[in-house]
Amino acid sequence: IYLLYPFVPVEEFGEIAPKLARAVEKISPFVTTFENFSFFPHGTIFCDPQTKIEKSIHQLQAALESVVPYCNDQSTKADGFHPHLTVGQIPAGETAETTITNFLKYWDPIQFKVDRVYLIARLGDEPFKIHYQIFLQDGTFEPVDIPYISSSKKKKEGEAEEEEKDKRTNLMNTTGYQV
């Protein structure tokens, strides 16, 4: 879920990380569930995050944006900040409802604790890499060097693939979606 856009340049991460950590030190970790899919009119399919604490993600986004107010594209849209996790585009010839129905056949809700945010960046067409993690509630942060490897890259590199183990990945890969 992108909380800020446009992105802060990677060269500024070291300077901005402590400020972001202070901004989120009073925000408690919360649980998010990806259970339902929805879509935007322009054809993007996404998971709609649900939280038990109303507006948790909105409060987190606002706290981060208070540090970098020029990264406000997410909150200045006509309908405000709409947290979502993009999963792909509607394939040609399908309706959003058909695509979502197909996803839900193989989808099990995913629930996880949100206790940190990541500062990510990429060079050119390379995948994103995690450079910093900022922990909610305690105001700490740390630099990390964690590459992101997509499922399609693993397949290209010949790593073992257990197709039956995760039907969602199989469905998304065969319909051209990136997991």
Side-chain angles (χ1 to χ4, degrees), residues 8 14 16 29 44 46 58-59 67 69 74 76 86 92-93 101 106 113 115 132 134 138 153 169 178:
V8 174
I16 206 90
T44 298
F46 62 88
H58 289 81
Q59 291 167 352
V67 174
Q74 298 287 49
T76 57
T86 300
T101 298
Y106 301 99
K113 182 178 182 179
D115 62 355
Y132 280 87
I134 299 170
D138 68 5
K153 185 173 181 179
T169 300
Q178 182 72 31

Side-chain angles (χ1 to χ4, degrees), residues 2-7 61 65 68-82 84:
Y2 293 136
L3 298 169
L4 297 173
Y5 190 82
F7 299 132
Q61 190 275 336
E65 188 179 296
V68 284
Y70 55 91
C71 298
N72 65 353
D73 283 13
Q74 298 287 49
S75 64
T76 57
K77 295 178 181 174
D79 59 348
F81 174 57
H82 187 135
H84 65 280

Side-chain angles (χ1 to χ4, degrees), residues 2 6 19-20 27 65 68 84 91 107 122 141 146 172 174-175:
Y2 293 136
K19 295 174 184 176
L20 294 171
I27 297 178
E65 188 179 296
V68 284
H84 65 280
W107 184 255
R122 67 176 169 195
F141 66 95
I146 304 171
M172 291 180 189
T174 58
T175 57

Side-chain angles (χ1 to χ4, degrees), residues 23-66:
V24 300
E25 69 185 352
K26 292 188 177 10
I27 297 178
S28 298
F30 54 92
V31 174
T32 296
T33 304
F34 287 122
E35 187 170 358
N36 299 310
F37 290 93
S38 192
F39 65 96
F40 292 121
H42 63 271
T44 298
I45 304 283
F46 62 88
C47 284
D48 195 7
Q50 303 298 311
T51 59
K52 291 184 181 188
I53 302 170
E54 185 68 27
K55 301 288 184 185
S56 314
I57 297 174
H58 289 81
Q59 291 167 352
L60 175 58
Q61 190 275 336
L64 295 169
E65 188 179 296
S66 73

Side-chain angles (χ1 to χ4, degrees), residues 71 135 158 161:
C71 298
F135 297 93
E161 184 176 350

Side-chain angles (χ1 to χ4, degrees), residues 105-169:
K105 289 178 188 174
Y106 301 99
W107 184 255
D108 293 321
I110 298 170
Q111 187 174 72
F112 57 95
K113 182 178 182 179
V114 177
D115 62 355
R116 69 193 73 191
V117 294
Y118 293 109
L119 298 184
I120 62 174
R122 67 176 169 195
L123 298 173
D125 291 336
E126 293 181 14
F128 281 99
K129 183 174 119 180
I130 300 170
H131 292 269
Y132 280 87
Q133 53 185 350
I134 299 170
F135 297 93
L136 302 185
Q137 197 167 22
D138 68 5
T140 62
F141 66 95
E142 64 184 22
V144 293
D145 186 11
I146 304 171
Y148 167 80
I149 300 176
S150 70
S151 60
S152 60
K153 185 173 181 179
K154 287 180 188 177
K155 195 172 184 178
K156 287 179 189 173
E157 293 174 353
E159 293 184 15
E161 184 176 350
E162 300 177 35
E163 292 181 26
E164 290 303 314
K165 185 175 180 182
D166 191 345
K167 291 180 181 178
R168 291 172 297 195
T169 300

